[in-house]
Amino acid sequence: MAIVRRIAKEQSRVFVHVQIEDLEQQGYVGLLEAARRYDPAAGSFGAFAYFRIRGAIVDAHKRRRWREEMLESLQAIAAAHDGWLPPSIATCPLPRPDELAARGQMAAKLANALGALASEDAELLRAWAEGAPIREQCEISGMSPNYTRDRVAQLIGRVRALIERTL
């Protein structure tokens, strides 16, 4: 349970608007999943559980954000049409034009923010975002896993600040 608290605290730097108790709750779900799927022949339980716990926290945040964004979008459409929603709105799998435009703008802001970082820092952040294993991230940073995780958290905060300045 201590590892769940540590990972939740680590992730609270990324998900600053989520209460730590909520992150811990999702981490416990990941811990149970790790205990259920762990195979002792695969190696250390701690390393195996770390990624299950972190993944459960991140996945729960993604699901929550999607529900919030979907609700906000549906409320805006309903308000524009006097409370009426067209029946086909729930079945269209394609992103809306405003979503595509927003993604393009955010991608440009992210590219500018990454361009402001030193090349080694940008490479480390890209590796993290692409889901590279921690050992590959350590090779890029030239430091230990703990230092590398702390550095990634710092870089995320720095990129977030750079993007917020352009909003």
Side-chain angles (χ1 to χ4, degrees), residues 5 8-10 37 43 50 54 59 92 100 106 112 115 118-119 126 139 143 154 160:
R5 283 189 211 97
K9 188 174 182 181
E10 204 176 89
R37 291 183 175 217
Y50 174 85
R54 184 178 174 276
D59 287 348
C92 182
L100 291 174
M106 187 53 74
N112 288 338
S119 62
R126 281 189 186 101
E139 289 172 8
M143 296 293 182
Q154 291 170 353
R160 181 178 287 133

Side-chain angles (χ1 to χ4, degrees), residues 32-99:
L32 290 173
E33 181 68 19
R36 190 173 66 78
R37 291 183 175 217
Y38 176 65
D39 178 15
S44 163
F45 177 73
F48 181 79
Y50 174 85
F51 291 103
R52 290 284 178 183
I53 294 166
R54 184 178 174 276
I57 291 171
V58 171
D59 287 348
H61 175 71
K62 286 179 183 177
R63 284 190 303 272
R64 187 180 64 78
R65 286 296 303 153
W66 183 84
R67 284 191 303 267
E68 287 174 0
E69 290 171 3
M70 181 59 72
L71 180 61
E72 289 170 6
S73 299
L74 290 175
Q75 288 172 340
I77 293 169
H81 295 94
D82 296 325
W84 180 80
L85 288 174
S88 63
I89 198 160
T91 60
C92 182
L94 301 175
R96 296 185 323 266
D98 60 332
E99 288 177 357

Side-chain angles (χ1 to χ4, degrees), residues 2 7 16 23 39 45 53 60 79 104 123 153 164:
I7 295 169
V16 293
L23 296 174
D39 178 15
F45 177 73
I53 294 166
E123 184 181 353
E164 288 173 358

Side-chain angles (χ1 to χ4, degrees), residues 124-137:
L124 175 60
L125 202 53
R126 281 189 186 101
W128 173 83
E130 292 171 356
I134 190 67
R135 68 177 147 63
E136 288 180 25
Q137 296 173 35

Side-chain angles (χ1 to χ4, degrees), residues 15-29:
F15 304 122
V16 293
H17 59 283
V18 180
Q19 292 183 354
I20 191 124
E21 292 82 13
D22 292 337
L23 296 174
E24 286 178 0
Q25 180 181 8
Q26 293 306 319
Y28 291 132
V29 171

